[in-house]
Coordinates of all heavy atoms in Angstrom, one line a residue:
M298 N -6.9 -16.8 -7.6 CA -6.2 -16.7 -6.3 C -6.6 -17.9 -5.5 O -7.8 -18.1 -5.3 CB -6.5 -15.4 -5.6 CG -5.7 -15.2 -4.4 SD -6.0 -13.7 -3.5 CE -5.5 -12.4 -4.7
N299 N -5.7 -18.7 -5.1 CA -6.1 -19.9 -4.3 C -6.3 -19.5 -2.8 O -6.0 -18.4 -2.4 CB -5.0 -21.0 -4.4 CG -3.7 -20.7 -3.8 OD1 -3.6 -20.0 -2.8 ND2 -2.6 -21.2 -4.4
K300 N -6.8 -20.4 -2.0 CA -7.2 -20.1 -0.6 C -6.0 -19.7 0.2 O -6.1 -18.7 1.0 CB -7.8 -21.4 0.0 CG -8.4 -21.1 1.4 CD -9.2 -22.3 1.9 CE -9.8 -22.0 3.2 NZ -10.5 -23.2 3.7
R301 N -4.8 -20.3 0.0 CA -3.7 -19.9 0.8 C -3.2 -18.5 0.5 O -2.8 -17.8 1.3 CB -2.5 -20.9 0.6 CG -1.3 -20.6 1.4 CD -0.3 -21.7 1.4 NE 0.8 -21.2 2.3 CZ 2.0 -21.6 2.2 NH1 2.4 -22.4 1.2 NH2 2.9 -21.2 3.0
T302 N -3.2 -18.2 -0.8 CA -2.8 -16.9 -1.2 C -3.7 -15.8 -0.7 O -3.3 -14.8 -0.2 CB -2.7 -16.8 -2.7 OG1 -1.8 -17.8 -3.3 CG2 -2.3 -15.4 -3.2
L303 N -5.0 -16.1 -0.6 CA -6.0 -15.2 -0.1 C -5.7 -14.9 1.4 O -5.8 -13.8 1.8 CB -7.4 -15.7 -0.3 CG -8.5 -14.8 0.2 CD1 -8.5 -13.4 -0.5 CD2 -9.9 -15.5 -0.1
V304 N -5.5 -16.0 2.1 CA -5.2 -15.9 3.6 C -4.0 -15.0 3.8 O -3.9 -14.2 4.7 CB -5.1 -17.2 4.3 CG1 -4.6 -17.1 5.7 CG2 -6.5 -18.0 4.2
L305 N -2.9 -15.3 3.0 CA -1.7 -14.5 3.2 C -1.9 -13.1 2.9 O -1.4 -12.2 3.5 CB -0.6 -15.1 2.3 CG 0.0 -16.5 2.7 CD1 1.0 -17.0 1.7 CD2 0.7 -16.4 4.1
A306 N -2.7 -12.8 1.8 CA -2.9 -11.4 1.5 C -3.7 -10.7 2.5 O -3.4 -9.5 2.9 CB -3.7 -11.4 0.1
Q307 N -4.7 -11.4 3.1 CA -5.5 -10.8 4.2 C -4.6 -10.5 5.4 O -4.7 -9.5 6.1 CB -6.7 -11.6 4.6 CG -7.7 -11.7 3.5 CD -8.8 -12.7 3.7 OE1 -8.7 -13.6 4.5 NE2 -9.9 -12.5 3.1
S308 N -3.8 -11.4 5.7 CA -2.8 -11.3 6.9 C -1.9 -10.1 6.6 O -1.6 -9.3 7.6 CB -2.1 -12.6 7.1 OG -1.2 -12.5 8.1
L309 N -1.4 -10.0 5.4 CA -0.5 -8.9 5.1 C -1.2 -7.5 5.3 O -0.6 -6.6 5.9 CB 0.0 -9.0 3.7 CG 0.9 -7.9 3.2 CD1 2.2 -7.7 4.0 CD2 1.2 -8.0 1.7
K310 N -2.4 -7.4 4.8 CA -3.2 -6.2 4.9 C -3.4 -5.8 6.4 O -3.2 -4.7 6.8 CB -4.5 -6.3 4.2 CG -4.4 -6.3 2.7 CD -5.8 -6.5 2.1 CE -5.6 -6.7 0.6 NZ -6.9 -6.9 0.0
K311 N -3.7 -6.9 7.3 CA -3.8 -6.6 8.7 C -2.5 -6.1 9.3 O -2.5 -5.2 10.1 CB -4.4 -7.8 9.4 CG -5.8 -8.1 9.1 CD -6.3 -9.3 9.8 CE -7.7 -9.7 9.5 NZ -8.2 -10.8 10.2
D312 N -1.4 -6.8 8.9 CA -0.1 -6.5 9.5 C 0.3 -5.0 9.1 O 0.7 -4.2 9.9 CB 1.0 -7.4 9.0 CG 0.8 -8.8 9.6 OD1 0.1 -9.0 10.6 OD2 1.5 -9.7 9.1
L313 N 0.1 -4.7 7.8 CA 0.4 -3.3 7.4 C -0.5 -2.3 8.1 O 0.0 -1.2 8.4 CB 0.3 -3.2 5.8 CG 1.3 -4.0 5.1 CD1 1.0 -4.0 3.6 CD2 2.7 -3.4 5.3
T314 N -1.8 -2.6 8.3 CA -2.7 -1.7 9.0 C -2.1 -1.4 10.4 O -2.1 -0.3 10.8 CB -4.1 -2.3 9.0 OG1 -4.6 -2.5 7.7 CG2 -5.0 -1.4 9.9
A315 N -1.7 -2.5 11.1 CA -1.2 -2.3 12.4 C 0.1 -1.5 12.4 O 0.3 -0.6 13.3 CB -0.9 -3.7 13.0
V316 N 1.0 -1.7 11.5 CA 2.3 -1.0 11.5 C 2.0 0.5 11.2 O 2.6 1.3 11.9 CB 3.2 -1.6 10.3 CG1 4.4 -0.6 10.0 CG2 3.7 -3.0 10.7
I317 N 1.1 0.8 10.3 CA 0.8 2.2 10.0 C 0.2 2.8 11.2 O 0.6 4.0 11.6 CB -0.1 2.3 8.8 CG1 0.7 1.8 7.5 CG2 -0.6 3.7 8.6 CD1 -0.2 1.6 6.3
A318 N -0.7 2.2 11.9 CA -1.4 2.7 13.1 C -0.3 2.9 14.3 O -0.4 3.9 15.0 CB -2.5 1.7 13.6
L319 N 0.6 2.0 14.4 CA 1.6 2.2 15.4 C 2.5 3.4 15.2 O 3.1 3.9 16.1 CB 2.5 0.9 15.5 CG 1.8 -0.3 16.2 CD1 2.6 -1.6 16.0 CD2 1.6 0.0 17.7
Q320 N 2.6 3.8 14.0 CA 3.4 5.0 13.6 C 2.5 6.3 13.9 O 3.0 7.4 13.7 CB 3.8 5.0 12.2 CG 4.8 3.8 11.9 CD 6.2 4.1 12.5 OE1 6.7 5.2 12.6 NE2 6.8 3.0 13.0
G321 N 1.3 6.1 14.2 CA 0.4 7.2 14.5 C -0.1 7.9 13.3 O -0.6 9.1 13.3
L322 N -0.1 7.2 12.1 CA -0.6 7.8 10.9 C -2.0 7.3 10.6 O -2.4 6.2 10.9 CB 0.4 7.3 9.8 CG 1.8 7.8 9.9 CD1 2.7 7.0 8.9 CD2 1.9 9.3 9.7
P323 N -2.8 8.2 9.9 CA -4.2 7.9 9.6 C -4.2 6.8 8.5 O -3.5 6.8 7.5 CB -4.8 9.2 9.1 CG -3.6 10.0 8.6 CD -2.4 9.6 9.4
C324 N -5.1 5.9 8.7 CA -5.4 4.8 7.7 C -6.7 4.2 7.8 O -7.5 4.2 6.9 CB -4.2 3.8 7.7 SG -4.4 2.4 6.5
G325 N -7.0 3.6 9.0 CA -8.2 2.9 9.2 C -8.0 1.4 8.9 O -8.0 0.6 9.8
E326 N -7.8 1.1 7.6 CA -7.6 -0.2 7.1 C -6.9 -0.2 5.8 O -7.3 0.5 4.9 CB -9.0 -0.9 7.0 CG -9.0 -2.3 6.5 CD -10.4 -2.9 6.3 OE1 -11.4 -2.2 6.6 OE2 -10.4 -4.0 5.8
V327 N -6.0 -1.1 5.6 CA -5.3 -1.3 4.3 C -6.2 -2.1 3.5 O -6.6 -3.2 3.9 CB -3.9 -1.9 4.5 CG1 -3.3 -2.3 3.1 CG2 -2.9 -1.0 5.2
V328 N -6.6 -1.6 2.3 CA -7.4 -2.3 1.4 C -6.7 -2.9 0.2 O -7.2 -3.7 -0.5 CB -8.6 -1.4 0.9 CG1 -9.5 -1.1 2.0 CG2 -8.1 -0.2 0.2
E329 N -5.5 -2.4 -0.1 CA -4.6 -2.9 -1.2 C -3.2 -2.8 -0.7 O -2.7 -1.9 -0.2 CB -4.9 -2.1 -2.4 CG -4.2 -2.6 -3.6 CD -4.4 -1.7 -4.9 OE1 -5.5 -1.1 -5.0 OE2 -3.5 -1.7 -5.8
A330 N -2.5 -3.9 -1.0 CA -1.0 -4.0 -0.7 C -0.3 -4.7 -1.8 O -0.8 -5.7 -2.3 CB -0.8 -4.8 0.6
T331 N 0.8 -4.1 -2.3 CA 1.6 -4.6 -3.4 C 3.0 -4.7 -2.9 O 3.6 -3.7 -2.4 CB 1.5 -3.6 -4.6 OG1 0.1 -3.4 -4.9 CG2 2.2 -4.2 -5.8
E332 N 3.6 -5.9 -3.1 CA 5.0 -6.0 -2.7 C 5.9 -5.5 -3.8 O 5.8 -5.8 -5.0 CB 5.3 -7.5 -2.6 CG 6.7 -7.8 -2.1 CD 7.0 -9.2 -1.7 OE1 6.3 -10.1 -2.3 OE2 7.9 -9.5 -0.9
Q333 N 6.7 -4.5 -3.5 CA 7.6 -3.9 -4.4 C 9.0 -4.5 -4.5 O 9.6 -4.5 -5.5 CB 7.8 -2.4 -4.1 CG 6.5 -1.6 -4.1 CD 6.6 -0.2 -3.8 OE1 7.6 0.5 -4.2 NE2 5.7 0.4 -3.1
A334 N 9.4 -5.1 -3.4 CA 10.6 -5.8 -3.2 C 10.5 -6.6 -1.9 O 9.5 -6.5 -1.2 CB 11.8 -4.9 -3.2
K335 N 11.6 -7.3 -1.6 CA 11.5 -8.0 -0.3 C 11.4 -7.0 0.9 O 12.2 -6.1 0.9 CB 12.8 -8.8 -0.1 CG 12.8 -9.7 1.1 CD 14.1 -10.5 1.1 CE 14.1 -11.5 2.3 NZ 13.9 -11.0 3.6
D336 N 10.4 -7.2 1.7 CA 10.2 -6.3 2.9 C 10.0 -4.9 2.5 O 10.4 -3.9 3.2 CB 11.3 -6.4 3.9 CG 11.5 -7.8 4.5 OD1 10.5 -8.5 4.7 OD2 12.7 -8.2 4.7
D337 N 9.3 -4.7 1.3 CA 9.0 -3.3 0.8 C 7.6 -3.4 0.2 O 7.4 -4.1 -0.8 CB 10.0 -2.9 -0.2 CG 10.0 -1.4 -0.6 OD1 8.9 -0.8 -0.4 OD2 10.9 -0.9 -1.2
Y338 N 6.6 -2.6 0.7 CA 5.3 -2.7 0.3 C 4.7 -1.4 0.0 O 5.0 -0.4 0.7 CB 4.4 -3.4 1.3 CG 4.8 -4.8 1.6 CD1 5.7 -5.1 2.6 CD2 4.4 -5.9 0.8 CE1 6.2 -6.4 2.9 CE2 4.8 -7.1 1.1 CZ 5.7 -7.4 2.1 OH 6.1 -8.7 2.3
A339 N 3.8 -1.3 -1.0 CA 3.0 -0.1 -1.2 C 1.6 -0.4 -0.7 O 1.0 -1.5 -1.0 CB 2.9 0.2 -2.7
A340 N 1.1 0.4 0.2 CA -0.2 0.2 0.9 C -1.2 1.3 0.6 O -0.8 2.5 0.7 CB 0.0 0.0 2.4
T341 N -2.4 1.0 0.2 CA -3.5 1.9 0.1 C -4.5 1.7 1.1 O -5.0 0.6 1.3 CB -4.1 1.8 -1.3 OG1 -3.1 1.9 -2.3 CG2 -5.2 2.8 -1.5
C342 N -4.9 2.8 1.8 CA -5.8 2.7 2.9 C -7.2 3.0 2.5 O -7.5 3.6 1.5 CB -5.4 3.6 4.0 SG -3.8 3.3 4.7
K343 N -8.2 2.5 3.3 CA -9.6 2.7 3.0 C -9.9 4.2 2.9 O -10.8 4.6 2.2 CB -10.4 2.1 4.1 CG -11.9 1.9 3.9 CD -12.5 1.1 5.0 CE -14.0 0.8 4.7 NZ -14.6 -0.1 5.7
D344 N -9.2 5.0 3.7 CA -9.5 6.5 3.7 C -8.8 7.2 2.6 O -8.8 8.4 2.5 CB -9.1 7.1 5.1 CG -7.6 7.0 5.4 OD1 -6.8 6.6 4.5 OD2 -7.2 7.4 6.5
G345 N -8.1 6.5 1.7 CA -7.4 7.1 0.5 C -5.9 7.4 0.7 O -5.2 7.7 -0.2
N346 N -5.4 7.3 2.0 CA -4.0 7.6 2.2 C -3.2 6.4 1.6 O -3.6 5.2 1.6 CB -3.7 7.7 3.7 CG -4.1 9.0 4.3 OD1 -3.7 10.0 3.7 ND2 -4.9 9.0 5.3
K347 N -2.0 6.8 1.1 CA -1.1 5.8 0.5 C 0.2 5.8 1.2 O 0.7 6.9 1.5 CB -0.9 6.0 -1.0 CG -2.2 5.8 -1.7 CD -2.0 6.0 -3.2 CE -3.3 5.7 -3.9 NZ -3.1 5.7 -5.4
Y348 N 0.8 4.7 1.5 CA 2.1 4.6 2.2 C 3.0 3.6 1.6 O 2.6 2.7 0.9 CB 1.9 4.2 3.7 CG 1.0 5.1 4.4 CD1 -0.3 4.9 4.6 CD2 1.6 6.3 5.0 CE1 -1.1 5.8 5.4 CE2 0.8 7.2 5.7 CZ -0.6 6.9 5.9 OH -1.3 7.8 6.6
R349 N 4.3 3.8 1.8 CA 5.4 2.8 1.5 C 5.8 2.3 2.9 O 6.2 3.1 3.8 CB 6.5 3.5 0.8 CG 7.6 2.5 0.5 CD 8.8 3.1 -0.1 NE 9.9 2.1 -0.3 CZ 11.2 2.4 -0.3 NH1 11.6 3.7 -0.3 NH2 12.1 1.5 -0.4
V350 N 5.8 1.0 3.1 CA 6.2 0.4 4.3 C 7.3 -0.5 4.0 O 7.2 -1.5 3.2 CB 5.0 -0.4 5.0 CG1 5.5 -1.0 6.3 CG2 3.8 0.5 5.2
Y351 N 8.5 -0.3 4.6 CA 9.7 -1.1 4.3 C 10.6 -1.2 5.5 O 10.5 -0.5 6.5 CB 10.4 -0.5 3.1 CG 11.0 0.8 3.3 CD1 12.4 1.0 3.7 CD2 10.3 2.0 3.2 CE1 13.0 2.2 3.9 CE2 10.9 3.3 3.4 CZ 12.2 3.3 3.8 OH 12.8 4.6 4.0
M352 N 11.6 -2.1 5.4 CA 12.6 -2.3 6.4 C 13.9 -1.7 5.9 O 14.3 -2.0 4.8 CB 12.8 -3.8 6.7 CG 13.6 -4.0 8.0 SD 13.7 -5.7 8.5 CE 12.0 -6.1 8.7
N353 N 14.4 -0.7 6.7 CA 15.7 -0.1 6.3 C 16.9 -1.0 6.6 O 16.8 -2.1 7.1 CB 15.8 1.3 6.9 CG 16.0 1.3 8.4 OD1 16.3 0.3 9.0 ND2 15.8 2.5 9.0
A354 N 18.1 -0.5 6.2 CA 19.3 -1.2 6.4 C 19.6 -1.6 7.8 O 20.3 -2.6 8.1 CB 20.5 -0.4 5.9
E355 N 19.1 -0.8 8.8 CA 19.3 -1.1 10.2 C 18.3 -2.1 10.8 O 18.3 -2.4 12.0 CB 19.2 0.2 11.0 CG 20.4 1.2 10.8 CD 20.2 2.0 9.5 OE1 19.1 2.3 9.2 OE2 21.2 2.3 8.8
G356 N 17.3 -2.5 9.9 CA 16.3 -3.5 10.4 C 15.1 -2.8 11.0 O 14.3 -3.5 11.6
R357 N 14.9 -1.5 10.8 CA 13.8 -0.9 11.4 C 12.7 -0.7 10.3 O 13.0 -0.4 9.2 CB 14.2 0.5 11.9 CG 15.1 0.5 13.1 CD 15.5 1.9 13.6 NE 16.5 1.8 14.6 CZ 16.2 1.9 15.9 NH1 15.0 1.9 16.3 NH2 17.2 1.8 16.7
V358 N 11.5 -0.8 10.8 CA 10.4 -0.6 9.9 C 10.1 0.9 9.7 O 10.0 1.7 10.6 CB 9.1 -1.3 10.4 CG1 7.9 -1.0 9.5 CG2 9.3 -2.8 10.5
V359 N 10.0 1.3 8.4 CA 9.8 2.7 8.0 C 8.5 2.8 7.3 O 8.2 2.0 6.4 CB 11.0 3.3 7.2 CG1 10.7 4.7 6.8 CG2 12.3 3.1 7.9
V360 N 7.7 3.9 7.6 CA 6.4 4.2 6.9 C 6.6 5.6 6.4 O 6.8 6.5 7.1 CB 5.2 4.0 7.9 CG1 4.0 4.3 7.1 CG2 5.1 2.7 8.5
E361 N 6.5 5.6 5.0 CA 6.5 6.9 4.3 C 5.2 7.2 3.6 O 4.7 6.3 3.0 CB 7.6 6.9 3.3 CG 9.0 6.8 3.8 CD 10.1 6.7 2.7 OE1 9.6 6.5 1.5 OE2 11.2 6.8 3.0
K362 N 4.7 8.4 3.8 CA 3.4 8.8 3.2 C 3.7 9.0 1.7 O 4.7 9.6 1.3 CB 2.8 10.0 3.8 CG 1.5 10.4 3.2 CD 0.7 11.3 4.2 CE -0.6 11.8 3.7 NZ -1.6 10.8 3.4
R363 N 2.8 8.5 0.8 CA 2.9 8.7 -0.6 C 1.8 9.7 -1.1 O 0.8 9.8 -0.5 CB 2.8 7.4 -1.4 CG 3.9 6.4 -1.0 CD 5.2 6.9 -1.7 NE 6.3 6.0 -1.4 CZ 7.4 6.0 -2.0 NH1 7.5 6.8 -3.0 NH2 8.3 5.2 -1.7
K364 N 2.0 10.3 -2.2 CA 1.0 11.1 -2.8 C 0.1 10.4 -3.7 O 0.3 9.4 -4.2 CB 1.6 12.3 -3.5 CG 2.3 13.2 -2.6 CD 2.9 14.3 -3.4 CE 3.7 15.2 -2.3 NZ 4.1 16.4 -2.8

């Protein structure tokens, strides 16, 4: 992983952490994020919670809890 990719990955994790927190959901910190499609991510939190964070057709960010 080059330096630019590492910075982008860290920034993405911080952004996803903020989005999840703004929804009032427990997380603490995103430790793993995987892009599933454009504007669609699987996020795993430090506390073990898993979420899907994506943008719906209306342009709103949606956070769904995963098992």
